[in-house]
Amino acid sequence: MKHVWTKALAGAAVMTMLGLSGCVLENGDLVVSELVCVTLTESQTTGTFSTFAVVDDFQEALERKLKENGSSKRQVKSIHMVSATFKTLTVTPHDWNVTGDIDIARQDVPGGAYEDGPATLVAFDNQSLLALRGKPTDADLLADGVLVVNRALEALLADEDPRLVLLVENETVSPTPSESDPMGFSLLICVQFQMVVEKGNNK
Amino acid sequence: MVGSRIGAGAALLVLGLAGAAGAQVDERLAAYTGRNAKGYLAPLVDAFRSNLNSALFYSAYVPTRGFYVSLEVNAMGTFFDEDSRTFVATTEGDFLPEQSAKAPTVIGDNDAVYVDGNAATQFAFPGGFDVDNIWFACPQVRIGSWKGTEAMGRFILYDTSVSELGSLTVWGAGLRHSISQYIERMRPVDLSVSVTGQRAQLETDDSRDVLEARLVSAGVQSGIALGGMYPYGGLSANWYEMDVRYEFEQDSELEPIALDYRYDVEFQLTLGIAYRLSGITAYGEYNLADQNCLAAGLSVTFPFNSRSTTP
């Protein structure tokens, strides 16, 4: 049976008498959350285009977060993606409705082969760019893309440094951009992940 | 960046998880904002109430006159039932779909609880500390008697040694008045009534309140002297409220979190026994309430021949 004593410092004599000398606690799993974001800035004069953005600071984010909590990778029991949000920061010169996918792939070496993926993370169907406000309900995630992220997160724990590439495969835009009416936007993509950290006993 | 630092954090450190363990409470609270944090911490808040409501008396006898002073030391322990180990937590943040799950409270199981969301996403609720009971200690002084009335006071000052938390102060004061002095035919049964007020405050070094609790208890006590033994009992009504304040870092901004615990009146039955030898009395009691609590204590009364439990 475990006891937790509250030290009531009413005097050393009282403390000594009652033997309130400390406690042993069995620390439970700690949950640490972190967010990694990337901004995609585009200017297009056609409705069908491909572009990409790189997320290569997962390892930095993970290590910073673990350090803040006085933990190490060895203590991480599991790591998983919680959510992703999409928020347009600027849309010029007017709103655009886009149909296309954002795929995700692991590509540790720039320009090299994909280690994992690509898989579709989110699909937009005639989506107003102005309506992307960074709310989780703005877009439905797809499991194949989330699993690529989850595998990359797990690779972090194996001391790998995964580099994820977000591939924008746009099919159509309404109205269609042109030289005289170019589509401009910047999109903030954020991925939230959680680590479950085993803290061990605390004396 | 979604952070998870509680500025003034670990408000409940003082409720039982002292010292180094406090930082661990802090870290777990960081996983929660308001509504979940309230449920996560509730068993400790309840235990604090139960412990403070204990060992307020160990006799229903109050002499009608004569000076005495008793120095008392009490230890109170709350034993958590199975229901206290979990609460219904709700997923937070951008996780979809929002859903509820039975998750460990701060005194619950160590293991995190996971729920599955859309498209292979997951949300984890933190584990607890797997604590069965929490003990609390406090010194107390009792002074009497004026027309069958005695005064009781208790005071705790605990420096957390954490600058963001400052010091915990708990003080309480109460009055007890003999009723049996007016009813001759009640002898040898003693009867008294009492009212006690207690206040706990955790204030940071820059005078910000992290925790404030107020507790009022009114009750009736009875007991009978059987040689050196003195079995006693009491029934009380308790009013309790607690406010906890801390800050939660989200997107690099500190958001204030306020947890206000408000309770309906709680009724408590106390059953105990005391044994007096000269001026020293040892006592133990069990309190049945929303959260049951065991208490024991030792009292030294001056002068030794005063305030006998065997009048």
Side-chain angles (χ1 to χ4, degrees), chain A residues 21 30 35 52 57 82 100 120 146 150 157 159 166 168 170 176 184 201:
Chain A
S21 56
L30 174 66
L35 200 61
F52 70 96
D57 54 355
V82 173
T120 304
V146 172
N150 280 339
L157 303 181
D159 284 332
L166 289 159
V168 179
N170 207 67
T176 305
N201 284 357

Side-chain angles (χ1 to χ4, degrees), chain B residues 185-255:
Chain B
R185 61 182 178 182
M186 279 194 71
R187 282 180 171 275
V189 175
D190 301 317
L191 187 70
S192 62
V193 292
S194 68
V195 61
T196 308
Q198 296 181 79
R199 187 166 187 262
Q201 190 174 28
L202 182 66
E203 193 179 71
T204 61
D205 291 345
D206 55 351
S207 300
R208 280 185 301 119
D209 282 340
V210 177
L211 177 152
E212 190 174 5
R214 294 161 292 277
L215 194 152
V216 174
S217 179
V220 55
Q221 302 85 40
S222 185
I224 183 169
L226 301 172
M229 306 295 285
Y230 190 91
Y232 62 90
L235 185 65
S236 65
N238 307 321
W239 293 266
Y240 177 60
E241 58 185 30
M242 177 182 275
D243 302 326
V244 179
R245 305 274 179 269
Y246 63 91
E247 290 171 329
F248 178 82
E249 186 183 305
Q250 181 150 6
D251 298 332
S252 300
E253 291 182 7
L254 290 175
E255 292 186 7

Side-chain angles (χ1 to χ4, degrees), chain B residues 89-112:
Chain B
T90 305
T91 56
E92 299 189 356
D94 293 333
F95 180 81
L96 286 178
E98 182 181 281
Q99 53 191 290
S100 297
K102 199 179 266 194
T105 61
V106 66
I107 58 109
D109 291 346
N110 293 145
D111 293 335

